[in-house]
Amino acid sequence: MRSRFEYFRPRSLDEALGFLAAHGPRTSVMAGGTDLMILIRRGDVAGKFVMDISRLDELRGVGKIDNVISLGAAVTYTEIVNDKIVKEFAPALVEAAGQVGSVQIRNVGTPGGNAANASPAADSVPPILVHNGRVIIRSAFSERIEPLQDLIVGPYRTNLKPEELITGFLLEAIDGTYRYSFERIARRKALAVARINAAALARLDSAGVVEDLRLSVGSITPQPARMTAAENHLIGRRPNMAAIREAAEKVTREMIRRSGIRSSTEYKKPAVEGLVTKALTRILI
Ligand SMILES: Cc1cc2nc3c(=O)[nH]c(=O)nc-3n(C[C@H](O)[C@H](O)[C@H](O)COP(=O)(O)OP(=O)(O)OC[C@H]3O[C@@H](n4cnc5c(N)ncnc54)[C@H](O)[C@@H]3O)c2cc1C
């Protein structure tokens, strides 16, 4: 069957942004295509053009200036897993990237596509949030940089305009004094998309008191978020299992406050508390 879409591969970011300025509402941006191809096959995408950004050099680099890591939107998970800068300064993202899908998915899938697709279970989102991650969004006429949690306005919904492209992310680098963890519960091991995931970073002082703690849990709130009540419960304390479990309960209280009680709550509450307890125990005990 002949495709309804015309394929376009820009040679530069300027050309890509120019194309979106002219044809944005009728164009689907494609990075790795691992989400987009499914949407197209299901008939969920209306439009005329597919614009392939996967080879744009401007979206493919990783760099670091002072304590800010810049990550191109079209860097693949495999590249993240192998990148020296991300490994050293954002290791929770490396752990998450290493667990996405399969080798085939990791070889082409990108955090830019993950964020733009805005699945509540997106695996790269919680690790970017614990690095106070910001997203760089460009059009032919403007550039805005905003916290990643502001880009995603609800499940599978972002504030991206048709003429806009995510060009990259800015992450706060951590040093070797931080511990990190990324945990997820997936339906089954191979090729499974996570049902719930959690990323956490912590720094303890020489007396074992928590100086800094950052926690983000995916799939439990309509918009991605940091779990500040749980973070604040443990900061300033020497952590023990009881305090960690109390923090995990604060996470599920936040889940219910933001998402309400649903049919899944009965299963989700112990699952989230177990996952958060595991993620925090790994870095605090
Ligand atoms: C078998 C399988 C397993 C999977 N496992 C996981 C998993 O374990 N964890 C997980 O999180 N996800 C998983 N996914 C989902 C998917 O692989 C990820 O969401 C991936 O990060 C999407 O990236 P991509 O580059 O392929 O995006 P694409 O499919 O190219 O694009 C996704 C969406 O984002 C838009 N988009 C892409 N890049 C940009 C950009 N730079 N600016 C603006 N819009 C853009 C596209 O228009 C499209 O709407 C899985 C998918 C499959 C098919």
Side-chain angles (χ1 to χ4, degrees):
M1 194 174 76
R2 200 155 171 261
S3 164
R4 290 179 292 122
F5 290 90
E6 282 176 38
Y7 175 85
F8 172 65
R9 196 167 77 213
R11 280 158 299 177
S12 68
L13 178 58
D14 281 346
E15 199 182 353
L17 296 176
F19 191 83
L20 286 181
H23 306 290
R26 295 188 300 159
T27 303
S28 290
V29 170
M30 181 170 83
T34 58
D35 281 320
L36 185 70
M37 293 316 287
I38 290 173
L39 296 176
I40 288 178
R41 260 187 238 133
R42 282 206 309 239
D44 287 350
V45 177
K48 189 169 180 336
F49 305 104
V50 166
M51 183 175 81
D52 181 352
I53 58 164
S54 64
R55 295 200 208 165
L56 289 180
D57 287 341
E58 297 93 326
L59 308 188
R60 296 194 51 90
V62 178
K64 181 173 172 287
I65 298 177
D66 299 326
N67 79 330
V68 179
I69 303 165
S70 60
L71 178 74
V75 172
T76 66
Y77 294 114
T78 298
E79 287 164 345
I80 288 173
V81 168
N82 294 318
D83 187 87
K84 270 193 183 159
I85 292 175
V86 194
K87 266 190 200 167
E88 183 171 353
F89 299 106
L93 180 59
V94 171
E95 280 215 15
Q99 293 185 44
V100 169
S102 60
V103 175
Q104 289 89 337
I105 297 291
R106 292 195 288 277
N107 281 347
V108 293
T110 65
N114 208 214
N117 187 55
S119 158
D123 277 322
S124 68
V125 169
I128 293 179
L129 287 199
V130 296
H131 282 275
N132 294 324
R134 289 170 293 156
V135 57
I136 308 168
I137 299 160
R138 282 194 57 188
S139 74
F141 321 104
S142 65
E143 177 181 272
R144 59 192 171 104
I145 300 179
E146 61 182 35
L148 175 58
Q149 59 267 39
D150 293 351
L151 168 80
I152 299 173
V153 296
Y156 302 99
R157 288 194 302 124
T158 67
N159 66 17
L160 279 177
K161 300 189 190 93
E163 70 276 15
E164 288 181 326
L165 199 61
I166 298 173
T167 57
F169 300 88
L170 299 173
L171 278 69
E172 201 181 285
I174 53 163
D175 60 26
T177 62
Y178 274 84
R179 301 177 188 176
Y180 61 91
S181 65
F182 175 81
E183 300 286 344
R184 66 179 213 161
I185 299 174
R187 221 180 251 157
R188 57 195 157 79
K189 280 234 146 98
L191 281 182
V193 178
R195 307 292 291 170
I196 310 165
N197 52 22
L201 298 179
R203 191 181 60 218
L204 282 70
D205 70 11
S206 54
V209 173
V210 181
E211 280 185 339
D212 188 12
L213 175 67
R214 308 177 196 175
L215 172 68
S216 177
V217 184
S219 267
I220 64 167
T221 49
Q223 279 173 282
R226 286 267 296 277
M227 296 291 117
T228 48
E231 293 173 354
N232 293 335
H233 187 67
L234 291 163
I235 290 172
R237 282 189 171 196
R238 202 175 290 150
N240 56 36
M241 282 315 296
I244 287 175
R245 283 197 199 97
E246 285 158 14
E249 279 168 26
K250 288 192 183 293
V251 170
T252 50
R253 238 173 272 152
E254 183 71 4
M255 170 180 91
I256 291 168
R257 191 180 71 76
R258 293 212 202 179
S259 305
I261 303 237
R262 300 174 175 198
S263 54
S264 59
T265 307
E266 200 183 333
Y267 129 80
K268 232 173 166 177
K269 188 172 178 300
V272 170
E273 285 173 9
L275 189 77
V276 169
T277 300
K278 190 172 172 197
L280 292 179
T281 305
R282 217 180 112 187
I283 56 174
L284 296 179
I285 301 287

